[in-house]
Amino acid sequence: MAKLDKNFLWGGALAANQFEGGYDQGGKGLSVHDVMTAGKHGKAREITETIEDDKFYPNHDGIDFYNRYKEDIALFGEMRLKCLRTSIAWTRIFPNGDETEPNEEGLQFYDNIIDELLKYNIEPVLTLSHFEMPLHLAREYGGFRNRKVVDYFVRFAETVFNRYKDKVKYWMTFNEINNQMDTSNPIFLWTNSGVTLAEDEDPEEVLYQVAHNELIASALAVSKGKEINPDFIIGNMISHVPIYPYSCNPNDIMEAEIANRLRFFFPDVQVRGYYPGYALKMFEKNGYDIKWQEGDDEILKNGTVEYIAFSYYMSTVVKHDEVTSVEDNVVNGGLPNSVKNPYIKESQWGWAIDPVGLRYTLNVLYNRYQLPLFIVENGFGTTDEFKEDGTIDDQERIDYLREHIKASIQAVDEDGVDLMGYTPWGIIDIVSFTTGEMKKRYGLIHVDRDNEGNGTLKRTKKNSFYWFNNVIKTNGEEL
Ligand code: BG6
């Protein structure tokens, strides 16, 4: 018997701001990403006030999918993808975010994309918001600090649900809604919620207010979506970097248990429909005054998700008596007291490579929530070299993907986890989120563009393209 269901959703994952380009085409407005410069490993991206002439903004052009989508989708079809997870740029539909009428040209663009995908039998899986808030909402309203932004988001969600209701079945609300728990890196609150912090503010208190508003926005979107089409399948999307205890010392175990609340806070609310006790206790102890409106309890209860989509790239470790600051541990999810795992290697960008951690994650999430799971991001960011014959032998990437797919199949076949699909991140090379680089490549298709924006944008299939094609063909039997 095949280990995976015949409808298993093999696919690829992308985000509008990282690959579409066309940042000022088709009536699109500026998003929070359009004022982010390129950084690199160890050098943070800068968020500028406006677009400055002497600075480079890699998301403006992405890989120019906006103008090349037919060629790219044909390649996805050739790869046999059964689904494509991508996002809708909010700024294509509501350029400033607070308009009452949507931008028809933006809606038409996604009609074209969806139709083109369906032509190749590729199921669209759409993220409503993948770090794409209109800049205007961030600057003039303070992003999700402001409850009005919840209404604007819901208007946007309703508009696209209505428009694509007969063509799209799978949706997710906010990408990696929980990565902003790491307040040590300002880009996370900015990209997720359009929020910047004043110097005298307690980042954690701001975060939980923002989180509340965003959880309400997510729940309202789920309820609206199900009203518009009861056959929609709507999930949340979290980043899951499991936190291991360093040892069997009970203090390390407890340290990890507490640290893991950073991972579970958002999904606990989105799945259960109410706040977990540990969060309420923490608000009380810290004197946090999180503003609720009447009816919020009901909204959360009625807007729970039907599946959990998550990204998995790495794991991390905490040790109770290690004294490291959050700032030293940005890569590990901004955790204090985290240490390197002596049993596993890291990528060039310092991301721990841990396939067993994926099986572990699938078990932990499934046991905690009992909902179908969907791995919507997993992949290996690294540089690529062309060989003399013009091919790209990306064996390291293949090895990474193979081991993670094996671990996922074990979770299904041996542990009984309900897994809907697997979509490797950056199925085609795109701009890196954290660093803005092009050379941190995840793609199975190479794009000729460098960190400074030079290159022909030519697409070349890597060895992993052919390998993944066969994985899909054999439904994961041949790895
Ligand atoms: C996730 C994001 O955090 O990780 C993606 O959802 C991102 O947008 C991906 O690209 C990989 O991160 P990076 O920084 O290597 O591009």
Side-chain angles (χ1 to χ4, degrees):
M1 200 175 77
K3 295 187 174 117
L4 296 175
D5 188 89
K6 65 178 180 359
N7 297 320
F8 189 78
L9 287 167
W10 294 103
L14 296 161
N17 75 84
Q18 290 173 262
F19 84 124
E20 280 182 5
Y23 84 108
D24 57 357
Q25 287 184 264
K28 181 182 173 298
L30 292 181
S31 86
V32 290
H33 251 101
D34 291 323
V35 291
M36 287 175 69
T37 64
K40 59 180 175 197
H41 186 35
K43 179 176 178 276
R45 303 182 70 173
E46 196 191 335
I47 302 164
T48 60
E49 203 45 42
T50 53
I51 296 175
E52 296 173 21
D53 288 345
D54 57 342
K55 298 213 157 114
F56 177 56
Y57 299 90
N59 300 71
H60 286 187
D61 299 323
I63 57 161
D64 195 34
F65 175 81
Y66 188 81
N67 297 300
R68 294 162 194 257
Y69 70 87
K70 289 199 174 170
E71 179 195 346
D72 288 341
I73 293 174
L75 284 167
F76 302 154
E78 191 185 330
M79 213 192 297
R80 295 174 192 273
L81 299 191
K82 294 189 174 171
C83 74
L84 184 78
R85 172 193 174 222
T86 185
S87 61
I88 298 190
W90 187 347
T91 48
R92 289 203 188 282
I93 313 302
F94 290 98
N96 281 323
D98 55 2
E99 297 89 344
T100 47
E101 292 305 317
N103 169 34
E104 176 55 32
E105 217 178 330
L107 287 168
Q108 186 60 52
F109 171 68
Y110 292 106
D111 267 319
N112 297 344
I113 301 300
I114 294 166
D115 291 344
E116 197 68 16
L117 289 170
L118 295 175
K119 189 170 119 187
Y120 292 93
N121 294 320
I122 301 174
E123 178 99 42
V125 175
L126 296 184
T127 315
L128 288 172
S129 177
H130 193 128
F131 309 154
E132 280 136 5
M133 173 180 287
L135 185 61
H136 176 75
L137 294 186
R139 286 277 156 72
E140 301 306 318
Y141 292 79
F144 272 111
R145 280 173 188 269
N146 190 330
R147 185 80 185 215
K148 273 197 199 142
V149 171
V150 173
D151 300 337
Y152 297 137
F153 176 77
V154 175
R155 182 184 297 165
F156 158 65
E158 254 187 286
T159 305
V160 297
F161 283 150
N162 272 314
R163 177 75 168 218
Y164 310 121
K165 65 174 186 298
D166 301 322
K167 300 177 181 177
V168 178
K169 182 163 150 200
Y170 296 99
W171 300 87
M172 54 195 92
T173 55
F174 292 96
N175 180 65
E176 291 192 339
I177 190 166
N178 60 332
N179 74 343
Q180 55 194 323
M181 304 295 278
D182 173 8
T183 51
S184 68
N185 186 341
I187 75 165
F188 295 135
L189 260 172
W190 175 250
T191 51
N192 233 303
S193 301
V195 168
T196 47
L197 291 168
E199 261 176 31
D200 59 346
E201 282 185 309
D202 175 346
E204 202 176 65
E205 186 168 14
V206 175
L207 165 83
Y208 282 106
Q209 182 62 63
V210 167
H212 180 69
N213 291 345
E214 216 171 328
L215 285 163
I216 292 290
S218 172
L220 284 169
V222 173
S223 307
K224 284 277 171 215
K226 295 298 282 186
E227 240 171 74
I228 291 168
N229 184 348
D231 293 335
F232 278 170
I233 301 180
I234 311 178
N236 62 343
M237 196 293 190
I238 57 168
S239 151
H240 199 77
V241 179
I243 302 169
Y244 300 147
Y246 181 72
S247 74
C248 55
N249 179 332
N251 291 320
D252 283 344
I253 308 282
M254 206 55 220
E255 179 82 20
E257 166 66 25
I258 292 170
N260 268 304
R261 293 174 187 164
L262 291 173
R263 306 289 184 256
F264 294 125
F265 167 69
F266 280 95
D268 278 355
V269 181
Q270 290 177 306
V271 172
R272 298 172 180 157
Y274 56 87
Y275 273 60
Y278 61 81
L280 297 174
K281 186 50 92 181
M282 189 262 290
F283 296 166
E284 182 193 314
K285 291 213 156 189
N286 292 349
Y288 291 167
D289 177 23
I290 308 300
K291 308 262 178 305
W292 282 55
Q293 287 185 6
E294 221 188 304
D296 281 0
D297 286 316
E298 284 298 296
I299 293 174
L300 293 177
K301 203 169 88 193
N302 296 333
T304 55
V305 294
E306 294 166 285
Y307 70 94
I308 298 168
F310 69 98
S311 65
Y312 175 85
Y313 292 93
M314 59 188 153
S315 57
T316 187
V317 179
V318 286
K319 189 164 184 291
H320 79 284
D321 53 357
E322 184 77 18
V323 188
T324 49
S325 69
V326 174
E327 287 73 17
D328 290 343
N329 287 298
V330 167
V331 158
N332 289 328
L335 277 180
N337 302 351
S338 74
V339 289
K340 272 191 196 296
N341 187 331
Y343 300 100
I344 52 187
K345 294 202 185 106
E346 294 175 354
S347 79
Q348 274 170 271
W349 273 264
W351 290 22
I353 303 168
D354 178 16
V356 178
L358 178 54
R359 178 176 176 191
Y360 172 74
T361 292
L362 285 159
N363 275 276
V364 167
L365 292 177
Y366 193 61
N367 293 339
R368 191 174 180 109
Y369 299 120
Q370 301 282 299
L371 279 186
L373 303 174
F374 195 169
I375 302 166
V376 295
E377 286 188 35
N378 173 238
F380 189 58
T382 190
T383 48
D384 282 330
E385 301 293 335
F386 274 90
K387 295 206 309 193
E388 269 182 20
D389 62 3
T391 59
I392 299 171
D393 180 8
D394 57 340
Q395 192 57 43
E396 245 187 322
R397 181 172 296 104
I398 295 175
D399 293 343
Y400 179 100
L401 295 173
R402 176 193 296 114
E403 293 312 310
H404 285 78
I405 293 173
K406 263 192 206 164
S408 310
I409 294 177
Q410 271 184 305
V412 174
D413 195 41
E414 293 179 33
D415 309 328
V417 167
D418 183 357
L419 181 62
M420 296 161 61
Y422 175 88
T423 63
W425 176 249
I427 196 76
I428 180 168
D429 291 345
I430 55 175
V431 175
S432 152
F433 160 52
T434 49
T435 69
E437 292 167 291
M438 266 309 290
K439 77 169 191 188
K440 189 182 187 191
R441 297 175 183 276
Y442 288 87
L444 282 53
I445 302 167
H446 181 271
V447 177
D448 180 28
R449 189 169 165 88
D450 67 15
N451 279 358
E452 288 74 42
N454 308 306
T456 60
L457 291 167
K458 179 170 179 264
R459 279 52 171 158
T460 306
K461 296 169 215 164
K462 305 181 193 179
N463 284 3
S464 53
F465 178 103
Y466 303 101
W467 169 80
F468 196 48
N469 175 310
N470 190 54
V471 171
I472 301 177
K473 185 172 154 199
T474 61
N475 203 20
E477 296 287 330
E478 285 178 24
L479 290 169

